[in-house]
Amino acid sequence: MSRKRWRAVKEIRIADVARLAGVSTATVSRVLSDPDKVRPKTHDLVMEAVRRSGYIPNSTAQKLRTRRTMNVLVVAPRLTNPVFAEILRGVDDELTESSYGIIIGNLDNRREREARYVDLALSRQVDGVLLLTGYVPANGTRSMSGSGLPIVAMCAAIQDQKIPNVVVQDREASSRAVAFLSDLGHRKFGYISGTPSSIIEVERFQGFLDGIAAAGLSDNDFMRWEGPFVFSTGVAAAESFLRMKERPTGIFAACDESAIGIIKRVRAERIRVPQDVSVIGFDGIEFADYTEPTLTTFRQPLYELGRVGADVLLKLIRGEMKAEDWNIRLPLTLLERDTTGPVLHKDYKSLRRSAL
Amino acid sequence: MSRKRWRAVKEIRIADVARLAGVSTATVSRVLSDPDKVRPKTHDLVMEAVRRSGYIPNSTAQKLRTRRTMNVLVVAPRLTNPVFAEILRGVDDELTESSYGIIIGNLDNRREREARYVDLALSRQVDGVLLLTGYVPANGTRSMSGSGLPIVAMCAAIQDQKIPNVVVQDREASSRAVAFLSDLGHRKFGYISGTPSSIIEVERFQGFLDGIAAAGLSDNDFMRWEGPFVFSTGVAAAESFLRMKERPTGIFAACDESAIGIIKRVRAERIRVPQDVSVIGFDGIEFADYTEPTLTTFRQPLYELGRVGADVLLKLIRGEMKAEDWNIRLPLTLLERDTTGPVLHKDYKSLRRSAL
DNA sequence: GTGAAAGCGCTAACAG
DNA sequence: CTGTTAGCGCTTTCAC
């Protein structure tokens, strides 16, 4: 009886199952990993023993022996950002289907947290790394690339022969945003940036500049407000906007949050959107469909991005492809909603006056 | 030269460091885990060898040997929900400080995904489990509690002697919400539920009922709309609301998303918030401060909840406490903003008329 | 204060 | 088809 007690407490090992089934540990192992290599009769015998004992293999031992962890590290700048959360969903679904686990490296916008995840990669706790950061995390002396582990860059591209990129066409879309506003008659623009050091920001701003040039405009035709990818950046931009005499009529925000922030703030001052100012966002977060007015923005294929990125990484891990082969750029979709409209002509009042 | 090449590719093991330092592997191990047990001279010798070789211990081998994984599993219903994301931040910060890693079990609202995480716990890949689910995940025959691992329930309580709860005072706050509206003169209520099967929903609705009773009202004085914790539930509730002849004047939504959803929809029909209907949300997501009007809601101490929950789990893992000792309930804060106001008296029009 | 040696629990040659 | 055996890389008694 005291033995039975022990059972409940002590972990069941493969040797226990082997004894119970009257076979060797090797056979048990085979049944569990490659059933076809074993006679059906033995198979059933073993499975019965597994069931009766409630045996579950110790995965740490498996990992040590096989040198595969079946885990992937995903490094993200900030988890509370819905953009990353959605990408993560795609990643998770793809990895789960191949029974890979996911270890989350949340930097929470603090670079000092990188060290921990560099060590994680270097100490072989994962089989591959997904980077949503736009750069390869480093720990003073050591960089994550030193691990020799397969790495895939998502979200923001990384210039490195060894690292395939799976990104969205930020630059093209940003350029299209300007064209869209320009087609509505806007000639004076505002640009609300994201975190200036972020590669995503750099790409989007570059696209914005491309658009400005394509519209036949110059540096003098727009205003740039800086700040991180958050609501309050838009609010701060609004304060500046409100103080201006010659206000832009078309505003491009590098993320939906800051677009929402500026709209909220200027509306409080009785400035009408889109009549007085048009605003276009970027990302297509779910919330953008619940603002007032609903936000015109570019939808990123985030979930798909997650799936594709994870798929590329798995292929890399399995040796099914070489890193050089892949640079995927997914297109964005313009969601034309209610914060953008034709420019109200500058000389509106004087026109009216002269018409009298 | 070909040897040097090898170096870069082949993993450095503890034996390599030992050889380099001219000591045994045991000594290297001691230096790394408990430096005081070693002569300073030896210590420096070893550290130098570690530095020169770039050695990082293989954590899988450590885990197998020490039987501690230094990982915690966090099971959450859905990662894209900002509430869980914020709790996770707290959890992550707390665990990181104790150099524990975090494995995320994202159910993505699909119960069939539980199985995977049950196995994860049973196969000893983690030292403890944090449950944001309100129930103990199970896999047909096996439940996660069978692992004997320390478990802490957060967000939603779990009735189990072995599982400490770290939750917020949902029920009390829901009750207060009704009192708040009642004090503003509202006597006819609407309740927008969350996922009906969720324990959080059950608690909040119970609190709502408490409040109704405390206000001297009955089942006839409110309307209940059901749906999951998402925007569209609020939109659906709005459709029903719009069809009613005798509309509620005070609406309590079990989450901010559905509050935002209903406000958005009814405003589109020229119904004024809060003049025609007051709406109070629940959770205090960041976004609630950027809606129009800004949403009155209860702020959950989410980050703190995460930290406290993780702390309790770590104490449990270290054997510093027993499960029975802990049931923590954190208070919520009412954020009184612009979607709530005094009821406009029913006989408003007739009053005006008689005043003429 | 340090080294030798015995495993942690599992898988994968290698024989048979 | 199945069993024997040798480790995966590390920590930790137990001697010295």
Side-chain angles (χ1 to χ4, degrees), chain A residues 76-85 105-109 230, chain B residues 86 89:
Chain A
R78 188 170 170 86
L79 224 62
T80 44
N81 183 327
V83 170
F84 297 123
N106 177 22
L107 299 182
D108 207 42
N109 284 347
V230 295
Chain B
E86 184 65 16
R89 267 191 64 227

Side-chain angles (χ1 to χ4, degrees), chain B residues 164-238:
Chain B
N165 293 311
V166 180
V167 298
V168 293
Q169 300 176 346
D170 288 57
R171 191 162 164 176
E172 291 83 341
S174 300
S175 170
R176 269 174 63 204
V178 178
F180 176 73
L181 291 172
S182 167
D183 288 348
L184 287 168
H186 297 274
R187 310 301 290 169
K188 214 160 163 43
F189 292 91
Y191 177 87
I192 309 180
S193 90
T195 318
S197 57
S198 149
I199 289 249
I200 301 190
E201 160 55 24
V202 172
E203 285 281 300
R204 291 182 188 173
F205 185 56
Q206 192 53 56
F208 175 82
L209 290 179
D210 294 348
I212 289 289
L217 300 173
S218 78
D219 281 8
N220 301 321
D221 301 310
F222 72 88
M223 170 84 200
R224 179 186 155 110
W225 295 290
E226 287 193 355
F229 286 114
V230 295
F231 287 109
S232 55
T233 299
V235 176

